[in-house]
Every structure is written in structure tokens, then in C-alpha cells.
Amino acid sequence: MKILKFGGSSVGTPERISSIIDLVTDSNRYGPGEVRGVVVSAFQGVTDTLIKLAHLAAQGDDTYKVSLQALEKRHLEAIDVLVPVAHRSSVLANAKVTLNELGDLLQGITLVSECSPRTLDLIMSFGERLSAFIVSEAFISRGVDAEMLDARAIVWTNEAFGNARPNKEETESATKAYFASHPKLQIITGFIGSSHTELTTTLGRGGSDYTASIVGAALRADEIEIWTDVDGMLTADPRKVPKAFPIPEITFEEAMELCHFGAKVIYPPTMQPAIDAHIPLIIKNTLKPDSLGTRIVENAATLPYPITGISSISNIALVRLEGSGMVGVAGTAARLFKALAAARINIILITQASSEHTICCAIDPSSIESARAAIGEEFGLEIQAGMISPLVVEEDLAIVSIVGERMRQTPGISARIFTALGSNAINVVAVAQGSSELNVSAVISNEDETKALNALHDEFFSNRAKTINLWIIGTGLIGGTLLTQLESQREVLRDALAIDLQLRGLANSRKMVLAKESDDALDFTIELSDSSPALILSDLIDHIHAANLPNCVFVDCTASEEVPQHYAKLLRKNIAVVTPNKRGISAGIDLYNQIISTAQERRTPFLHETCVGAALPVLSTLRDLVRSGDQVYRIEAVLSGTLSFIFNSLDEGRSFSDAVREAKQLGYTEPDPRDDLSGADVARKVLILARNAGLPFEESQVTINPILPPEASTWSVDEFMERLPTLNAHFEAQVNQAREHGKRLFFGALIDCVERRAEIGLRAVPLNHPFCALSGSDNIVAFSTRRYTPNALVVKGPGAGAEVTAAGVFADIIRIAS
């Protein structure tokens, strides 16, 4: 035997009602007589409308009549669709009688200008009464032997109007007796009951689930099916966590915890009758009847995850009682809870410091003033004496909760929770964990709720792809190549590494385009056009902050001096920064220190490996040497792939002008080749190396021996390119002079960490020097250290080009994701 319940969305339209009749009468799904009762809610939205009508009537506002007419029209139109003409008139007449009764009751409320909780319960009952009547007539019209059952005939409750509690024995007895004498399929009103004085009561919002559980438990049904508009209980709220997925089986305890902390799939009291009667509850989706849904049982199958689900409650307040007068004093907590209970304030969460100095309670913000008054009255003398401080209230908070039976046997769950939250700049205000270890809850800022849910979901359901949210500025050679690489590897990363790259924003020096909603993403092939919004850098940074997403990475592929000014602001929000832009970390030492110290303090990745040597592991190698306690004596390097390519070309007999033009065409040079040829770009790299080696150098401490004539700096880029041939003879002579002495010419760098000096310029080195192994656009860096003497540690390879630099940036992104 089964009892089925269909919620408001399942009976929201005549088409939906027809579909549930198809479902219930499907012989492939249910055997003959297997379904004994169908509990229905009011049509979708009707209960809210009835409450609104009652309040308008109590205020003497005649506009309630307009809404009442619309309500009547909706129900009568449903009858027109669902009931054949031959039987329609009697059904319409009966519905009109009920609707007229509702109208008379509202008129009475208008006359007395009051709507008591008792009267409001009676008003709300009309939603289920009309719905069950129409649904039962629709079943009958389809040839089903059915009848309506007004639950007020079997569900006996106390008179706690608005949230009545059934009398178990009397309700069970009445239900058994009724079903024994009524063999037809019962279409039952959910949500409502009756008191011993025959007053209409309601079981609380969501009470139709409760009705189904009460009836199913009384009849000892094999299963109770709750049909709704979602695929069962999910690992998180799918409106806040797009990657949430259905949980196939869950224990009653787990379901109760998830429901208490915000999961709205099932009304929490529903579970108690099913628990007492050992009856499984099945959550199914009316819109996808063949989906497995969720089974709520006593002993659930083990899931392949350390937790079962994550839920949250938005908009809570934390009230904190604290003071030395509480320490060692028995009964303080009892007095606090008694005072709150007397004021009818529901406590959502409790946490107490082990020192007994502080007790915190999470409550609904609407109860703050009542709590303040109740606690002030109970502890007035202690507060007046200064033994207890006045009540402290924090608002705009939320609770996120991790729930799961397996947490009991899995060490390190709490560590993972707080690491996931901390690494995404989410501050934890309070923590609570039950001794059963079934639940760990954290109170956080309300604005961080969605971010926290997504971060925790990624953390614990790790065999599902972890989302990395990207904002990329700079779409030139490197940025454009990076976008192509990201797009081509997205599926590979998702399948092989469970990393899901999502592009949330893209910008260049003039334009930007941003995802409209926080869960939207841009296509990696998107191009910025003249119609794109103008770039306002501060707006872009504010947008990233406002999105408040977990696992964020800001990628700066520009050569801008302005963008790095915002690095620290991003890092403070735990937004990782990846960049090949040398301008920030080679700027003044104050900005450099600000960026590095912020990254260290916030434990947020700031990866700039590609600033020196493109994709070569130059900076990481240097940092490893320093961190492991080695002493760096000397760094010799060819740090410009552009200049390496040019001087290797000169050694092969090509002219200086041809070599520079080809380097520019291949994308090796900066937009202005003089940034390379002047040594300015190499100087930035030397400065970065020196700082990573522990030398707090400023730009002025790097000596540049220029290779271009001074007047070259006054030419435009086009003019410089035109005048290149005039420099050919000068460089040809230098190359020949070096060759005559058995040497080769390079544009090299030297950092002497002992003498604390750095310089760059042309160097003629012997043919057995490591530099002479270079070809094409290769870079080389030789580290002479205490451990690597007399033979230096050499890093060598391609050090220029959009492909390798973008690949290095890509690798940094993956490093963060992993």
C-alpha cells in the first residue's frame, strides 16, 4: 500500500492535474489498489493569496474582492477543463457553495476588522478543500473510483492555530476506521485538521507532507511518496549551487538535519510519523516521474563522499550573552533558554565557549527586540551590576551546515570546512557541532552564503568538477592565445582533472564584457567589439568583488601600470592573481611589498612565474633555493627571448634591422621593440629576480648599459622601424670584433648578491660559456649558490613567444585549481 502526496506545483494547473491522474493510474507504476490515498495541497500560490485576502479584509480594504474574484475564476476554469460537460454543472455548483462560504467569511472579517489565528486557519483551509474537491472530480471523470476526504474528519489536533499538532492515538484510530469503511481511492486535503471542539486547524506551512505521513503511518503503508517539483533531496540548493545533484538515499537523521538548516524539499515534522512506523519516505519529481528521486530510510546506502549534503539558512541574527558573571554559575544557560522560550522565540543554533564566558543563539531577526526584552528582564540585576554585559546582537548573518552520517568516521572534516571557507575570504562568526558529529554548522556573513555553499560543495563532492571562475584582462598576443588554449583544453581538464573553467569577465585596454548573473559564464571564443561597454577598471574590480564567487582567479595579460595597482585589493578578497605583467612587481618596492605581503597574509596565490623566462621555471627555482636555506651568490642570465633571437641571428650573419623586424613579426617583442632593445624589459626582469633573491632593489639600482643611440628614444615606433637599417653597421662591427677574439655577443644580465649590485648590457663571452648553447629565442639563467658551486644550476629553454608565455599562465591557473 502507498500514500501519495502532490504539492501545489503538481496541482498548479489543469494540465498538471491531468498528468498526476495519468501517473496514479499508470498500471506499469502501481498495481491495482496499491495507491490508497492521494494527499493534495492547494493550487500553487493559493494559500498565500488567502492569507493576503484575510489581511486586506481585516484592514477594511475592499480590493480583496478583486483578488477573490480572480481566485474563484481560477478554480472554476479548472473545473471547465477537467470535468466533462455532462457532470460539470453539479461540480460547479458545489464549488460555488464553498467559494460563497469563503466570501461570507471574508465579509465577516471586514465587519469586525480583525482576523484571529483561529479565523485565519479556517480561511487557509479553503485552498486544500477546493483543490481536493476538484482533483477528486477529475479522477472520477476519468473513470477512477475515487472520492474526496476532508482531513478534518480524521486528523485531530490541539488548538495551536497555525501550527497545530495531531493527537497520534485519536488520529490513527479515526484514520483506520475511515479507510476500513471507504474502499475507494481517497483524495485527501493536506495541511488541515480539526480540534476536539471541531474548529479548523492547520499543521504549519508545508503541512500537506505531514498529512501524508500521518495517514501513511496510521495505515502502516509500505511507502509514502512525496511528489514535488525537484528531483528529490539534493546535495545543496540548486538555485544557489548549480552543481548540486540528487541524493539517491539518505537517513531520516540526515534528512531532518538538512531540513532544519534550510532544505525546503520536505516539511521536517513529516518525518516523525514515518520514523515511528518504520516507513520509507520517497521524494519524487512530478515533472520527471521516471527519475529515481530520494529514498529517506532508517539505514541508507553509503555514498562515495564524506558528507551527504550542505544546507543553509539566510537572514539570521546572532544574540550573544557574555560576562564574567556567567563563569562557574550553574543554571545560566537554563535561564537564558527559559526566557527565550517564554517569549516564544525559536532558537536555530546554540554555541557556548568552553570558558562559560559566552553563550550565542541564532534566532530570526524579527525576534530581536523580543529577545532583548526577555533577556533584559531575566538578567537585569546582573547587567546592572556589570557582571553580564548588555545583549550583543549581530545581524545580516547566515548559517551553512554540513550534514552526513559518514562524518563520524572521517577525520579532518572540520579542517576541510574551515580551509574551504578561509581560502575564499569567508569569515566564520560562530561554530556549532553536535556530539553525534552528524552536523557541523558555521555562522557567516549573509552576503557570503552562496559563495560558501559553492566552495564547500566543490570541496566535499570533489569527484565532480571544481569550478574555477576566471576574469581575464588583456586580449592581445598573450591574452588571445591564452583564451584559445583554455577553450581547446576545457573538456580535457573537466574529464581528466575535474576542473571546470568558467570565464566570468573579459577586458582589453578599451572595452569589457561581464557575465550578467553570478552563475552565468562567457564563451571563451567571445571577442570584444566596439559595441562592448567601455572598460572602467574600478568597475571591473567592483564587479569581481560583488560576484562574490569561490575559487576566483584574476588574470592580467596586459602591460599596464594601472592594473597592478588593484592586485592587493583583489588578494585581500582571496581572489588569486596570475600575471605575466612585469609592471607591478618591478614598480616601486612599496607596491611590490604590498602585493607580496597581502598574498602571504591572506594565503592567496599570486603567481607571476611568466614574468621572467615565459614558461621556464625560473622564479619557482629561485624561490625554492631561498626557502630551502641555500645562499645565492650570483645570477647570470639572458632574460630576453627577443634579444636572444636578435643576437643569435646576428651571429648567423643577418642584419640587425632584419632580425628586429622578424622578431616583431613573430611576436617576440613588446608592442614597441625599444622596450626590449633599450633594456627596460630586461631591467624589470632583473629587478624581479633580485627581489625574489631577497634584495629589496629599486629600479634605479639596476645599471643599464644601453645599446641604442640616445636619440632613438625620441622617435615614434614607426619612425624607429624605418631607421633600423642605419644601425646595421654598428652591430655588425661589434659582432665581428667579438668573433675575432673567439667570443660571442649577448645581451646579458648579472646580479651579484654578495656585492648587492645588478647590471645589464652587451657581453662578449667565450665559446665554452653556457650562454653559447643558446639558439633561437632561448633564455638561460645560471644560479651560482653555496650548494651549486663551482657548477651553476642552469635553467634554459624558450623564453619568448605568445604560445609559451600563455602556456605558462595557463599552467599557473591549473596550479591554483589543483
Side-chain angles (χ1 to χ4, degrees):
M1 181 203 305
K2 294 184 179 180
I3 300 297
L4 279 55
K5 176 263 175 179
F6 292 93
S9 60
S10 300
V11 293
T13 64
E15 293 74 24
R16 293 278 179 89
I17 293 171
S18 291
S19 69
I20 70 167
I21 297 172
D22 292 337
L23 191 153
V24 174
T25 57
D26 182 355
S27 60
N28 293 320
R29 189 178 299 275
Y30 302 111
E34 186 177 5
V35 179
R36 286 290 283 119
V38 173
V39 178
V40 295
S41 298
F43 288 3
Q44 191 170 28
V46 165
T47 302
D48 288 335
T49 299
L50 289 167
I51 294 170
K52 179 183 175 183
L53 291 175
H55 289 321
L56 288 172
Q59 295 164 13
D61 187 340
D62 281 347
T63 59
Y64 81 83
K65 294 178 180 178
V66 177
S67 296
L68 178 59
Q69 287 175 352
L71 190 72
E72 178 176 321
K73 182 172 182 285
R74 179 180 179 186
H75 286 86
L76 297 182
E77 285 179 348
I79 294 171
D80 285 341
V81 174
L82 295 166
V83 180
V85 175
H87 305 290
R88 192 178 299 159
S89 59
S90 61
V91 176
L92 287 169
N94 284 329
K96 282 288 290 183
V97 169
T98 303
L99 287 161
N100 288 339
E101 182 187 343
L102 173 60
D104 292 343
L105 185 56
L106 289 167
Q107 180 62 29
I109 292 173
T110 303
L111 293 173
V112 298
S113 300
E114 181 185 1
C115 182
S116 66
R118 165 181 160 179
T119 303
L120 185 60
D121 269 11
L122 180 56
I123 290 287
M124 287 192 290
S125 75
F126 281 89
E128 272 69 19
R129 288 157 59 188
L130 285 164
S131 173
F133 172 69
I134 293 170
V135 172
S136 66
E137 292 296 335
F139 267 97
I140 294 166
S141 298
R142 293 275 294 272
V144 180
D145 198 12
E147 64 183 350
M148 173 186 168
L149 168 55
D150 188 330
R152 292 178 294 179
I154 59 171
V155 179
W156 296 97
T157 74
N158 62 14
E159 293 187 356
F161 298 106
N163 196 27
R165 286 292 169 261
N167 181 298
K168 181 181 177 181
E169 291 76 16
E170 293 182 3
T171 296
E172 189 170 301
S173 176
T175 301
K176 288 179 178 177
Y178 188 92
F179 273 80
S181 60
H182 291 76
K184 295 182 178 181
L185 174 65
Q186 301 297 308
I187 310 302
I188 311 165
T189 56
F191 181 53
I192 63 175
S194 182
S195 73
H196 289 290
T197 56
E198 299 189 351
L199 295 173
T200 298
T201 60
T202 62
L203 305 178
R205 297 302 296 267
S208 293
D209 293 350
Y210 199 6
T211 303
S213 186
I214 291 167
V215 173
L219 299 177
R220 297 301 184 265
D222 297 311
E223 289 181 349
I224 300 164
E225 295 182 355
I226 308 295
W227 289 82
T228 180
D229 55 2
V230 294
D231 290 336
M233 297 197 78
L234 275 66
T235 49
D237 185 343
R239 294 167 300 181
K240 297 173 181 175
V241 183
K243 290 185 179 178
F245 57 93
I247 306 166
E249 202 164 79
I250 187 173
T251 67
F252 282 110
E253 279 186 291
E254 290 172 324
M256 196 80 78
E257 290 283 351
L258 286 171
C259 289
H260 174 72
F261 284 100
K264 303 299 184 185
V265 176
I266 188 168
Y267 183 50
T270 299
M271 282 176 270
Q272 196 57 54
I275 292 170
D276 294 342
H278 310 287
I279 300 172
L281 283 169
I282 318 298
I283 313 297
K284 300 276 282 181
N285 188 344
T286 314
L287 304 178
K288 301 177 186 176
D290 294 325
S291 294
L292 293 177
T294 299
R295 291 177 59 84
I296 307 176
V297 294
E298 289 182 284
N299 297 298
T302 301
L303 295 173
Y305 309 104
I307 69 168
T308 300
I310 308 165
S311 60
S312 64
I313 304 176
S314 308
N315 301 313
I316 63 107
L318 201 66
V319 294
R320 186 167 72 247
L321 192 67
E322 58 188 11
S324 58
M326 295 166 55
V327 179
V329 179
T332 302
R335 289 172 63 194
L336 173 63
F337 303 143
K338 182 179 178 182
L340 294 175
R344 301 180 66 83
I345 296 170
N346 180 48
I347 299 174
I348 303 167
L349 173 147
I350 302 163
T351 180
Q352 180 174 12
S354 58
S355 66
E356 302 181 31
H357 181 266
T358 304
I359 302 177
C360 293
C361 298
I363 62 173
D364 189 282
S366 63
S367 301
I368 289 173
E369 293 310 315
S370 299
R372 201 187 300 275
I375 293 170
E377 182 177 347
E378 178 65 33
F379 294 95
L381 293 176
E382 290 93 330
I383 293 172
Q384 188 175 2
M387 298 172 65
I388 293 179
S389 302
L391 189 69
V392 178
V393 177
E394 294 182 66
E395 296 185 67
D396 297 321
L397 300 174
I399 299 173
V400 292
S401 297
I402 305 294
V403 173
E405 290 272 3
R406 288 191 65 200
M407 290 164 57
R408 293 168 175 156
Q409 295 87 33
T410 308
I413 294 292
S414 294
R416 292 176 65 180
I417 292 170
F418 300 123
T419 298
L421 296 177
S423 63
N424 283 286
I426 300 168
N427 185 48
V428 176
V429 179
V431 180
Q433 178 174 5
S435 59
S436 67
E437 298 184 54
L438 186 67
N439 171 300
V440 179
S441 299
V443 180
I444 62 173
S445 170
N446 209 49
E447 68 176 8
D448 288 331
E449 178 189 357
T450 298
K451 182 180 182 181
L453 289 171
N454 281 278
L456 292 169
H457 199 274
D458 272 347
E459 173 64 31
F460 287 102
F461 299 103
S462 55
N463 68 339
R464 303 214 165 213
K466 176 181 181 180
T467 299
I468 300 298
N469 299 295
L470 296 174
W471 280 267
I472 299 176
I473 183 168
T475 57
L477 278 173
I478 295 173
T481 305
L482 175 64
L483 287 167
T484 301
Q485 292 178 355
L486 292 170
E487 171 63 17
S488 67
Q489 288 296 106
R490 281 191 72 197
E491 290 188 15
V492 174
L493 290 173
R494 192 182 293 115
D495 296 340
L497 298 179
I499 294 171
D500 182 17
L501 299 175
Q502 296 287 324
L503 182 62
R504 306 294 183 183
L506 184 67
N508 60 20
S509 60
R510 300 177 299 104
K511 299 288 183 177
M512 66 179 179
V513 59
L514 307 172
K516 292 180 181 178
E517 301 293 337
S518 61
D519 57 351
D520 286 344
L522 303 175
D523 193 309
F524 279 94
T525 61
I526 191 170
E527 293 186 7
L528 296 165
S529 64
D530 290 339
S531 60
S532 301
L535 171 66
I536 302 174
L537 192 53
S538 58
D539 287 354
L540 173 61
I541 304 302
D542 289 344
H543 168 83
I544 299 171
H545 287 175
N548 206 27
L549 294 168
N551 308 321
C552 293
V553 181
F554 178 81
V555 184
D556 174 16
C557 291
T558 72
S560 164
E561 293 182 356
E562 183 184 2
V563 176
Q565 303 294 324
H566 297 270
Y567 288 174
K569 185 177 180 182
L570 291 162
L571 293 165
R572 274 188 218 103
K573 284 287 187 178
N574 286 70
I575 296 164
V577 175
V578 173
T579 182
N581 182 359
K582 296 173 280 292
R583 303 276 181 169
I585 51 174
S586 64
I589 192 68
D590 289 342
L591 178 60
Y592 174 83
N593 286 337
Q594 181 190 43
I595 293 169
I596 299 301
S597 62
T598 303
Q600 291 173 344
E601 288 167 9
R602 303 298 299 185
R603 300 179 68 85
T604 305
F606 172 66
L607 302 185
H608 54 284
E609 185 71 50
T610 50
C611 286
V612 179
L616 296 177
V618 174
L619 292 179
S620 57
T621 299
L622 175 56
R623 283 193 293 268
D624 288 344
L625 291 171
V626 173
R627 288 168 182 166
S628 64
D630 201 353
Q631 183 178 354
V632 181
Y633 297 146
R634 183 184 180 93
I635 302 172
E636 293 180 274
V638 172
L639 293 171
S640 170
T642 306
L643 292 170
S644 180
F645 175 84
I646 290 170
F647 282 95
N648 281 327
S649 297
L650 294 182
D651 194 61
E652 294 168 2
R654 303 186 64 189
S655 70
F656 179 73
S657 59
D658 286 347
V660 172
R661 288 194 179 105
E662 185 176 358
K664 191 173 191 299
Q665 184 179 359
L666 291 171
Y668 292 163
T669 72
E670 297 290 328
D672 183 348
R674 286 170 299 179
D675 280 349
D676 301 284
L677 295 167
S678 67
D681 188 59
V682 174
R684 295 186 193 103
K685 295 175 183 179
V686 166
L687 194 55
I688 293 167
L689 276 171
R691 288 172 175 176
N692 276 269
L695 301 175
F697 277 11
E698 290 283 11
E699 184 179 3
S700 59
Q701 291 174 271
V702 179
T703 302
I704 302 176
N705 299 307
I707 63 172
L708 293 177
E711 62 270 19
S713 63
T714 64
W715 303 335
S716 68
V717 177
D718 291 340
E719 192 176 2
F720 171 72
M721 297 302 293
E722 288 177 7
R723 296 194 183 193
L724 275 175
T726 63
L727 303 175
N728 288 344
H730 170 71
F731 285 101
E732 184 180 356
Q734 287 193 288
V735 169
N736 289 335
Q737 184 180 8
R739 188 176 290 133
E740 288 172 3
H741 290 84
K743 296 182 178 181
R744 283 183 60 184
L745 201 63
F746 291 94
F747 192 92
L750 170 66
I751 303 171
D752 191 321
C753 298
V754 177
E755 296 184 5
R756 302 176 71 84
R757 64 183 179 85
E759 64 175 318
I760 59 174
L762 283 180
R763 294 181 63 192
V765 299
L767 295 180
N768 63 352
H769 193 280
F771 286 6
C772 293
L774 290 175
S775 63
S777 62
D778 282 358
N779 277 193
I780 188 168
V781 182
F783 298 104
S784 298
T785 73
R786 178 169 52 80
R787 293 173 187 155
Y788 291 94
T789 301
N791 295 322
L793 172 62
V794 175
V795 178
K796 172 183 172 292
E803 283 287 342
V804 292
T805 305
V809 174
F810 196 166
D812 279 347
I813 294 171
I814 302 307
R815 206 166 283 121
I816 290 170
S818 301

